[in-house]
Amino acid sequence: GDWQSPGDLSGITLTANAVQTEMGTPGLLALAFVALILSTTTMFTGWYFGAKCFGFLVGADKQVYFRWFFIATDHWSSASRH
């Protein structure tokens, strides 16, 4: 399959090529849906559980500071990849 000789492909692009080869457009649509759901839930749970842990360590009233830290570092890491 595509995974045995990926060339320059990696990650979701390699997976999408392999799924499209084996399952066609329906498989590609299913993969897009699953990737969207997993990425969205990861983003929200990372923020939520991080804030809860921070609140446990330094006090619940200071959770708002973690939210701003999370937003800033997420934005910074996204900007540094481009």
Side-chain angles (χ1 to χ4, degrees):
D2 287 341
W3 62 272
Q4 292 172 326
S5 55
D8 290 336
L9 301 177
S10 65
I12 193 73
T13 309
L14 175 60
T15 304
N17 266 7
V19 167
Q20 187 171 24
T21 300
E22 295 299 319
M23 301 173 70
T25 303
L28 199 54
L29 291 172
L31 176 65
F33 177 73
V34 168
L36 177 69
I37 296 300
L38 289 175
S39 62
T40 304
T41 57
T42 298
M43 181 177 63
F44 285 121
T45 58
W47 164 81
Y48 176 79
F49 288 115
K52 289 296 177 186
C53 290
F54 186 78
F56 176 77
L57 293 172
V58 299
D61 58 324
K62 295 182 179 67
Q63 283 181 5
V64 68
Y65 298 118
F66 178 84
R67 292 177 191 144
W68 286 111
F69 172 77
F70 185 84
I71 291 168
T73 56
D74 186 55
H75 176 72
W76 178 75
S77 67
S78 295
S80 67
R81 285 185 237 145
H82 298 289

